[in-house]
Amino acid sequence: MFRKTIRNLKIVLAVIAVIAWHGAELSAQRPASEVLISENHQRDESGQKSKKETAVKASIRFQDTSFPDAIGKLSQLFKVDIRYSNSHIPSDFKVNISATDQTISSILDGILRGTNLSYERLTKDILVIVLLDSALKRAADDKTATISGRVIDSASKQGLKGVSIEVSGIPGVVLTDEAGKFLLSSRVSGNAKVTARLVGYKAKTQSIIIPPGGKIDINISMSSSATTLGEVVTTASGQQRRVEVANDIVKIIPDEIAARSPVRTVADILESAQVPGVQVQRGGGDPGAPTKIRIRGISSISQSNDPVVILDGIWIDASVGKPSKLDNIDPASIASIEIIRGPSAATLYGQDASNGVIVITTKKGRPGVSRWDLSYKKDWGQTYGKLPLSYIGVGYHPTTLQRSRCKIENVLKMECIQEKVSVYDPNDPLLGNEGVQTNNYYTLGLDGGSNAITYAITVSRTNTIGVRRISPADLARMRRVGYAQKEGFDRPSNLNRDNITSKLDLLPRKNLTIAITGTNTQTNIRDNSYSRRDWGMLNGNIPATTLVELYNPDTLLDPNGTHIIESSEKPLRSSNSTIGAVIKYEPYKSVVVNSTFGAERSADEVSEYYYETKCIKQAACIDTFGRRTEKNNLKEIFTVRTSISTPLNLGKIGRFLSISPAIGGDLRQTNSRVVSVGKSKVPAGDRTINNGELILGSTHYTNFENATAGWYVNSTIGILNRIYFDMGVRQDIGSAITSSSNAQYPKIGGSWLISDESFWKENNLINLLRLRSAFGHSAVQPDLTDIYGKYVIGRAVVDGVLVRTVEMMNPGNNMLRSERAVEMELGFDADVLYDRLNLVATYAKSMNKNALVSTTLPQSVGLGSGNISRKENIAKVTNRNVEVSATSRIIENANAFVVLNYSLTLSENRVLSVGDRFTGGDVIYKDGYPLTSVWSKMVLGYRDNNGDGLLHRNEVILSDEAVYIGTSQPRYSSTYGVSVTLFNTITLDSRFSYQSQYIQSLSNNNFRYGSEDVNAPLDAQAAEILSLTTPQKPVSDLRWGSASIQYHIPKSLLGVIRGRSASVSLQGSNLMLWTHYVGRDPAVNSAILSSEGRADTGFTPPTPRTFVLDFKIGL
Amino acid sequence: MNMNTRTIAKLAIKTAILPAFLFACSLSDIVEVGDPETGALDRDFVKSSQGAIGLFHASVGLLQAVTNSRNLEIGLFTDELTLRPYGTSEHNTSVGAFADPRFPTTHTSGEHSVEGIQYPSYASLQKARINAMQSRYFLKNMHNTSYDALIAGSYAIEGYTILIIAEDLCSGIPLSNVPAEGEVIYSGPVSTQDLFRTAVAKFDSSLQINHDSTKYLTLARIGKGRALMGMGEYGKAAEAVADIQPTEKFEFKYNETVITSPVNGLTTQPYRYWTWTPASPTGSSTTRSTEIINKEGQNGMVWYVDPLNIDPRVPVSTELVNEELKFTSIVRQRKYVGATLSFPIAKWAEAKMIEAESYLSDGDARWIEVINEARRSVGLPDTSSPSSIDEKVDLLFRERAYWFYGEGVRLADYRRLVRQYNRSPFSVYPTGGYARLSNRTHYGTAFVYIPHINEYVHNNKFKGCLNDNP
């Protein structure tokens, strides 16, 4: 049933689109004047009696009603704020009045008749109940003055809420209301200074003269400051400003990034945003190549280090794959991305949040006439960098005499007697298999609506033809023999992606909002390995009989030579849909109930058709056999989430103290199903008995569910609008966590806006300073399959009869617990140097206790041969990070706006408690060393004894033990950016990034220099011999990541096309790379995807250098 | 469709009850999900009678597979068989685990390296043992006497796997355990004597159970006798096998028609090791032939004098082999020529040999009568007792060698000769010229097998063999 619903998501989206379209038409038909009135109404700041308000009359009846209840009722009825001081009202004051069709003035007159109270209208919607006669007289004698006013944003002219107003000589502060208004009384008079402070704005001080016993009304206009502490982010207590949150949350606006960098995917945005602590690792430069996101390094040895991704409140699958699931979200549809690092994530997002959380919010429609945003990007890309020569040895096994390729480690181990070494130059233009990548990216955005309903739709289409091509040598060969080439055959790697994202925001009642988001993405990738023939050859996947011919470079280049081409064509279809609803309901004043329901469904279909094409001399090439595998992955994630938050009304104390408690719970269920089918296809006439038949091979499927539920309580306490405490605890339970080990995750954090303190001497060296610290727990849970034992069915002949057997394959481990991360962070945010420089620095430390490690079981436990492993909670991993970002507005005037950005990430981790040395595959874990340690033996000395110019194994002395040589993750990385805007029309932007030394493995050991090369220096040869299996290269890289020039078409020109905005830009990315790395791009390789190490397989194209033309227009 | 309908229904219920759970602190029901299906069995099935019997069958099947390769391995290790070089044109030959059965090599895994000969069937042998234990756990839980024969069988199979470990491997092999329901228990080294003792205990447990399966009774009795022999307890051994009838036996049977199941390795590779098919004299490039030679490594047995006049216990034949158009005459065993021939594990002749050795150890002259009683059963003439004790022992072990040819007993006999009869290993094991590949001229120096390197690397309680000597 549900599948059908999901399958019909397109229809649902279409319906949403129709509704939205209809809404657009409706709003377009609405007279413009009404809209204007509405806007004027919002902007009304006159304080005059509104005709609309006074015209309202009502009938009421109060009988023995308490005064607060009666006033509350009136406030609600007439939509005015009636303020009074409790000290003026006798506690036993009961209201008894009956009024029919009366204004609020007459009703209040009636209520207050006979008391010493009266009322005054302060603004059109604020009434104040005051003491009459003698009380007023006394006030007048005291010369109590009333100071009122309004604070607005200098740019938008909108009122600012929550601005703290401090008047010299008057103790305490008051806060502005929703409209930016404030009111306070003063017994002092004369000269005074009013200071307005709001995080995100430069503090503003104005001089006033307070008239004794009189009134003064002031307007304060505040301009924004460099800090981003005023941004609103999502937390367990609801939407909060960053200043109230104790840990550092970064908010990215994708449209801002896209204006300066070529952005096609979410990974592109995250990379271009240059957020400290966020690392984007590329699996290759092919279209759709997977990317991996790491937030604050890695801390899990065997579990996923992938962050949690939340799209409009629902969990989505963000596992690394091709294409990356994250890349199925259309960047053009995103309003903001919040990156939550550190301790606060777990309370709201629960288990698995310890790798960080990426919260994506899609664009919301804006009320008003429909707006169209169109953009078109066209780009061209080409890879750069050279591959080193490859040396290919061929020989035979000394005992078996079996002929084979001699890999260097085989030669060194005396397992291969090398007869011949061929040199292969992968950079030979005739063999080169990369061309120009082209890409078209179209987006269309539409939004609009009324106050009751808004809609936003984003539609995008991407078509990319990747850099891979068939080499000219192969093409020539095939053409010569008349091989029938399929369409697009010569450009085998391409991607087409279509996205639609719709969002509907409904406001059926004043206290109820419903936001419905639906997304659908279809990605088709074609990935043909024809062009990777060299990889197959060099990796030795070639029949031994043809070995010598293949490794003869002359044969390689001879278009008539006998040649076998291995090829596989891999069409990949990926479909992602999400549907979610966020319902916000306020049943009572300041009680907010938030509920989210949603589901994500991702389906991948990968089919691979493998064939061997044989081209013999002048004869036609033929496909000699084939094998087909098909794999279907289906994953569904369901989200149910509810929270109740209620900022407490503390009355008078509320001026100093705010408490916002929240309670919530959530459930996430994941269903995963993988079906893989192997088939064989053999062309008719070939040498097997199943000529031409498509044979269904093995079908294998896995199907498992996993559910996690949790609940939490959380509270934010604000003191004097300067000090905030954020604390909470969460309890989780999951299918993979046994009930005996229910997981509780506490957190506590504090944030102190110290520069707002009265003792802080205002100076322009430090304009704003916020100190913060947070502590909390989070976790990564084991997989269900790690817990359960595994038995399989087999067969045996017992007593001559075939019987079914049952064998244990894996005992599982029912003692597993979640990995628990204990995290702590300290940091500050500061605006310094005349508000020109914003500094954010954070030190974070985490300890992953109970880290899960796959331990191989000895064969004596009876699970058979092979390295059967299971997971155990045995390790600890500590992680330390320093993150610094600096944004400086060095020039800020009407004609020029220059911003410099700098970010620095220092990251290191250590493994503990795994023992002296624990080997998991090729990775060595050792106490006190990083998780991504790389170990190697050392060259103790070498001497070319026979003087042949070549070092042999016995001429190099190596250490017995491998020693630690570094880590595959850079210890620090930094980014630099400069952005210049001139005359509000031209923006220039450029970005650089640097990664410090890290160890890169060249997993293809043909991909090397030195060995058997008499021209290679001896130390290089010794280094090659050292690397018995995998050469390890320490590398650093400095990259010119992007540059752009953007021209905003002036409004005068826009009038011609009746547009809102338009721009054209030229962007370049990955422009230059400075590195001493022997190879192409050390940061890009496919091996980083399967492990946390980096190993260059040599033939993965790196990210191309790309130039983009980008046109944008808003109508 | 079903999965999703079910999921949606569940989800709806969970959604409805979520708020209630929020305050109840008991969320276990809400996260209840089905077992993962990963091509593996449902856990409940394993606990059923079918699952328990399946586990038992697995242990029998695994043991059968072990003995298949073991008999060849031990044949090559000792003087029973030798691999014949394929002449000058030999190339592309790989016989995997059987390549160098007497030559210790260095095995490496990551940072670890171990010198020795890894027991090829180590993993399977341990697996057979664990499966037998797990099957017994579930069978006992059935509380049904109809499974008693299988329970007794599981003890006997387990005892036999431990017996093989004690006979073939160095001293100090761990017997780790994976209880059917419980935690993995790693074992430290267990000495050869303790392994024999444990095997005896398992056989005794099997014999304690009343059941109607004579084959498991025979396996348990002869297995116990053999284990006691390994401990030097000749009298008790003879007692254990007393009154075994000539018809009593435990053997592995094969089914030639079943080609996709684990069957006798000897029959799936008939041309490689044991037999030579004249119809395909050239074989393929991977063909290696086994051959019987007399006095292999100078200490070896004289298996035949005249290939046309042979001992029925070690049948041989001379064949002409075409090696790249070069015909060579070789002598091959003919004990196993058909795929369906059963493979003996426990038989009457062994009971007789145990009885004879027990008498001999007591200095009882009846030992030669027992030897001759056995010889007469296959039509061989009587033999007389030599005068010296060494010659008597030589005769006894010669008889054993013939009776158990190709049955994986020879290595255990070598070890007993060294351990219990104080013979020098260099006088027992083949030590002389070695007619194999050109780069090997003499036998190696290994006396026993070592476990797979995996055990050294991944079992913290196992640091290596306690004793490599026989």
Side-chain angles (χ1 to χ4, degrees), chain B residues 2 25 34 53 87 90 129 153 162 165 169 175 194 205 208 259 287 308 319 357 399 403 424 443 463:
Chain B
N2 286 338
C25 306
I53 294 169
E90 178 180 16
R129 182 176 67 82
I162 297 169
I165 290 171
L169 284 120
L175 298 180
D194 283 346
S205 299
Q208 289 286 311
I259 55 166
T287 300
L308 298 175
E319 289 163 13
E357 194 167 345
E399 284 299 301
W403 276 116
S424 155
Y443 270 102
K463 301 296 178 197

Side-chain angles (χ1 to χ4, degrees), chain B residues 73 97 105 107-108 114 116-122 169 449-454 456:
Chain B
E73 263 293 312
T105 44
H107 307 278
T108 55
V114 181
I117 305 169
Q118 288 184 162
Y119 196 63
S121 305
Y122 181 73
L169 284 120
Y449 289 98
I450 61 168
H452 194 274
I453 187 164
N454 157 292
Y456 293 79

